Amino acid sequence: MIKIKSIEVYKINLPLKEGKYNWSHDNSVSVFDSTIVKINTNKNISGFGEVCTLGPAYLPAYPEGVRTGIQKIGKFLIDQDPTNLTEINMIMDTNLKGHNYVKSPIDMACWDLLGKYLKQPIWKLLGGKFGKHVELYRAISQEPPREMSKKVKKYKKEGYKKFQLKVGGNPTEDISRIKLVKSILNEDDVLVADANTGWLMHEALNVIKSTDHLNIYIEQPCISYEESLSVRKKTNSPFILDENIDSIDSLLRAYNDKAMDIINIKISKLGGLTKSRLLRDLCVKLGIAMTIEDSWGGDIATAAISHLAHSTPKKYRFSSTDFNSYNSFNYSKGSPQRKNGNFAASDNHGLGLIINEKKIGKPLFTI
């Protein structure tokens, strides 16, 4: 029987190639604090997971909290079978209420172990691979309209056809951002105006009224579910909910309220691949399209995203993202690489990565 013998926790920094990433509420990050978990077993097999919270002001999560939380629950996982994913999640949930982001890298590492133990890629264990590749979106950091337009032109040349504009700032400027970028896109390109909860209801309605002829998607306009639902009821634009969808309960509520057309599944927001798969499969059953991603991350998180996305039927896959291409620090071989605005999950066992442990340094602590 395979058993967990130790859990190593690492902190790495992920600097951005573009120097800075800006979004609503004047949030800005230039170097992301990411946590890597390595689970060692008695069978000489190790699994890796990663979580990056996008700083402390995006979701109810923060980098240091990941490490503190793992110290609280890690001891309960020693000598447990990491391939018993349901039991692993029950142990974590019993010993730490909430704080899904803490549990995500542990669950991810257990999936990596499961794949290696069974000698299968994770996409096969999640339901099979659909298509040869997964379409990606490119997030465009919130800047003056012309700067955002220049970046969209650059990424169009790299093969992207889906763009997520970070709006949620001054409504007048946001209208200019949307109109200018839309003017340079092709008819089959996709444009999402992602406010990241940054607008008040009247601001959202003002932006939507001024741009609803442009065939764009509106994502998470307001901070609360009730505010976003109010906006949704007054527009015909395709509607995406992200920050408000953090559980099956929240998904079912939004589905019953007809609050959205698409949701974003962020692996760490739900607590890992186990619960993300459950939500993914429910969306397929209900006919809801998804953006499959995470809050942020490096090579490990990007690999996990690719496996969950590639094992999702293409019809329900709105888009996904390749965070490893945003960062100037990479630490593995085998992580998905973008090609013409697409990526593919590895066919190697587990996540399909070989981690350069010299690059990630020494663990902060071991349980």
Side-chain angles (χ1 to χ4, degrees):
M1 178 179 174
I2 187 169
K3 292 184 178 181
I4 295 173
K5 300 310 295 180
S6 66
I7 301 172
E8 300 174 13
V9 178
Y10 301 78
K11 175 187 181 298
I12 62 169
N13 291 325
L14 298 174
L16 287 167
K17 290 178 181 177
E18 291 186 351
K20 193 165 62 170
Y21 183 75
N22 311 309
W23 69 100
S24 64
H25 305 292
D26 293 321
N27 285 313
S28 180
V29 177
S30 56
V31 179
F32 289 97
D33 178 338
S34 192
T35 299
I36 291 176
V37 168
K38 179 185 180 185
I39 296 180
N40 301 304
T41 68
N42 62 333
K43 297 294 185 181
N44 200 32
I45 305 172
S46 297
F48 289 87
E50 181 183 17
V51 64
C52 183
T53 66
L54 202 63
Y58 172 54
L59 293 170
Y62 66 106
E64 296 82 0
V66 177
R67 272 99 64 176
T68 301
I70 292 172
Q71 287 179 316
K72 294 290 184 183
I73 60 175
K75 60 186 177 182
F76 299 105
L77 299 172
I78 301 301
D79 289 330
Q80 297 294 327
D81 183 344
T83 67
N84 286 343
L85 293 162
T86 300
E87 186 174 8
I88 290 291
N89 276 271
M90 289 177 66
I91 291 170
M92 291 194 290
D93 289 343
T94 297
N95 291 284
L96 181 65
K97 300 298 183 186
H99 299 280
N100 287 340
Y101 66 102
V102 171
K103 304 162 187 175
S104 184
I106 294 174
D107 178 79
M108 193 181 292
C110 288
W111 273 94
D112 190 30
L113 276 165
L114 177 64
K116 291 172 179 175
Y117 186 64
L118 297 177
K119 298 182 179 180
Q120 297 289 340
I122 288 178
W123 61 257
K124 184 164 285 189
L125 303 176
L126 288 170
K129 186 180 279 189
F130 292 87
K132 294 182 179 180
H133 55 73
V134 176
E135 286 185 291
L136 302 169
Y137 77 81
R138 189 73 190 190
I140 307 299
S141 174
Q142 189 180 110
E143 294 177 25
R146 291 193 180 279
E147 293 303 313
M148 296 178 81
S149 177
K150 287 179 183 177
K151 287 185 176 179
V152 169
K153 288 180 181 178
K154 172 181 179 290
Y155 291 120
K156 272 182 64 64
K157 292 178 181 178
E158 294 182 11
Y160 287 97
K161 293 185 176 181
K162 297 182 177 182
F163 300 92
Q164 186 192 76
L165 288 190
K166 293 302 177 181
V167 289
N170 177 281
T172 301
E173 194 169 21
D174 283 339
I175 292 168
S176 296
R177 291 178 172 115
I178 294 166
K179 287 183 174 180
L180 186 57
V181 169
K182 183 64 178 179
S183 71
I184 64 172
L185 295 182
N186 299 330
E187 188 175 337
D188 60 344
D189 292 334
V190 174
L191 182 60
V192 176
D194 182 11
N196 284 120
T197 77
W199 291 322
L200 297 177
M201 289 181 287
H202 74 93
E203 294 173 327
L205 290 169
N206 183 26
V207 175
I208 292 169
K209 182 179 179 180
S210 299
T211 59
D212 62 2
H213 62 290
L214 296 176
N215 189 27
I216 65 169
Y217 291 77
I218 302 298
E219 181 171 333
Q220 194 66 47
C222 305
I223 195 164
S224 74
Y225 172 79
E226 290 77 13
E227 290 169 293
S228 291
L229 178 60
S230 174
V231 173
R232 157 71 164 182
K233 290 178 177 178
K234 298 168 184 173
T235 176
N236 293 318
S237 296
F239 216 78
I240 304 171
L241 284 182
D242 178 5
E243 286 85 349
N244 292 153
I245 305 296
D246 57 6
S247 65
I248 286 179
D249 288 345
S250 62
L251 170 68
L252 291 175
R253 181 188 181 192
Y255 174 74
N256 288 326
D257 289 343
K258 297 180 175 58
M260 79 297 173
D261 305 292
I262 299 167
I263 68 161
N264 284 9
I265 290 181
K266 286 184 165 68
I267 294 171
S268 61
K269 185 171 58 174
L270 294 163
L273 285 169
T274 300
K275 293 176 181 176
S276 295
R277 177 185 63 168
L278 188 60
L279 197 72
R280 185 271 310 269
D281 291 346
L282 182 56
C283 283
V284 170
K285 179 66 175 177
L286 296 174
I288 301 169
M290 296 158 275
T291 293
I292 295 176
E293 55 174 359
D294 210 330
S295 297
W296 203 270
D299 292 348
I300 296 170
T302 301
I305 292 166
S306 73
H307 284 279
L308 184 62
H310 220 149
S311 62
T312 301
K314 188 174 181 180
K315 180 178 179 180
Y316 302 98
R317 228 164 44 204
F318 180 64
S319 66
S320 195
T321 195
D322 57 328
F323 287 125
N324 58 351
S325 76
Y326 292 71
N327 306 321
S328 60
F329 176 70
N330 301 103
Y331 53 82
S332 76
K333 291 183 180 179
S335 188
Q337 300 299 307
R338 181 191 74 244
K339 185 177 181 180
N340 295 324
N342 305 297
F343 71 4
S346 172
D347 292 332
N348 296 327
H349 301 160
L351 288 170
L353 304 179
I354 299 174
I355 305 299
N356 186 334
E357 297 194 41
K358 289 184 179 180
K359 280 196 168 187
I360 65 175
K362 296 181 179 180
L364 292 179
F365 59 88
T366 301
I367 297 170

